[in-house]
Amino acid sequence: MATFLIDLSPSDMERRLPDALSVYVDAMRYPRGTEEQRASMWLEHTRRRGWKCVAAVDVPVAPGEHADVATMSDAPLLGVAYGYCGAPDQWWQQQVVAGLQRIGVDSARIAELMSSYFELTELHIHPRAQGHGLGEALARRLLAGRGESHVLLSTPEINGESNRAWRLYRRLGFTDIIRGYHFAGDPRAFAILGRSLPL
């Protein structure tokens, strides 16, 4: 078996949505059934400006052989990452702006952050494939060649930042924008992280 990174088009994402959501649920350790709650939102995201998706697939190839496009497009997913251009009409941006205002960030800084960013919306690696650099590979491919001035993401707070996601984001140079933020309707605390582009 060999691992390859591939880009997914919106139609690819629609076709592979059950697989992508299964990776998401397993990686986040969410209960089965969470997929149904997320499916329509993930599909809606594919229609947003600047949407891009990268997947890691597990392909059965012998040493020295090359995998063809058809084989890779149907191969089992090990990881998925996607995002899109942030915009004022998006719920996430509205939440982040409210959080920045709440902690006293001045309006010029808020405008700078919100005027040109790529929202790294989802980045998930199946548990059996974690710890092998796939998260970093997906992030680098996803963010390569972006025209935005920076990238923003949210991730659940973890004591001591002691999980793979946090280690990845710190290794990639993400810094704190907001800590301990509570999105409407979610009891968990989140961190909003960001860094300038290019990566």
Side-chain angles (χ1 to χ4, degrees), residues 1-193:
M1 299 295 271
T3 302
F4 293 88
L5 300 185
I6 60 171
D7 294 331
L8 297 183
S9 69
S11 60
D12 292 331
M13 174 58 98
E14 185 171 2
R15 184 174 58 85
R16 300 299 308 267
L17 188 62
D19 301 332
L21 286 169
S22 180
V23 168
Y24 159 75
V25 167
D26 289 341
M28 297 296 287
R29 297 181 176 86
Y30 288 148
R32 286 287 161 204
T34 306
E35 302 94 325
E36 288 75 33
Q37 299 167 9
R38 291 292 186 157
S40 62
M41 183 177 68
W42 281 37
L43 287 178
E44 188 274 324
H45 288 169
T46 67
R47 296 188 286 276
R48 294 190 175 183
R49 186 172 62 87
W51 182 87
K52 181 179 178 183
C53 181
V54 180
V57 294
D58 204 15
V59 181
V61 292
E65 287 185 3
H66 296 288
D68 60 63
V69 173
T71 301
M72 286 193 284
S73 69
D74 290 323
L77 291 185
L78 297 177
V80 63
Y82 77 78
Y84 42 79
C85 302
D89 63 344
Q90 294 169 4
W91 178 86
W92 192 84
Q93 178 167 321
Q94 293 163 2
Q95 290 277 304
V96 173
V97 167
L100 290 167
Q101 291 169 338
R102 198 172 303 128
I103 62 173
V105 176
D106 69 74
S107 57
R109 174 65 175 148
I110 293 173
E112 176 194 342
L113 281 170
M114 297 291 108
S115 64
S116 176
Y117 74 93
F118 180 80
E119 182 190 328
L120 201 172
T121 312
E122 305 290 349
L123 172 57
H124 306 287
I125 306 297
H126 192 279
R128 70 181 166 86
Q130 292 177 4
H132 303 290
L134 281 182
E136 181 168 347
L138 285 175
R140 289 189 179 281
R141 179 152 170 167
L142 183 66
L143 297 172
R146 296 302 311 184
E148 297 85 3
S149 64
H150 52 279
V151 55
L152 299 175
L153 62 84
S154 55
T155 192
E157 293 277 12
I158 298 291
N159 283 340
E161 301 180 4
S162 60
N163 70 5
R164 286 191 169 112
W166 272 95
R167 287 191 291 275
L168 169 63
Y169 300 140
R170 293 307 196 199
R171 193 166 59 249
L172 291 175
F174 282 84
T175 59
D176 297 348
I177 304 297
I178 306 175
R179 295 300 298 265
Y181 184 74
H182 289 271
F183 287 101
D186 196 323
R188 298 171 298 169
F190 282 80
I192 313 298
L193 306 178

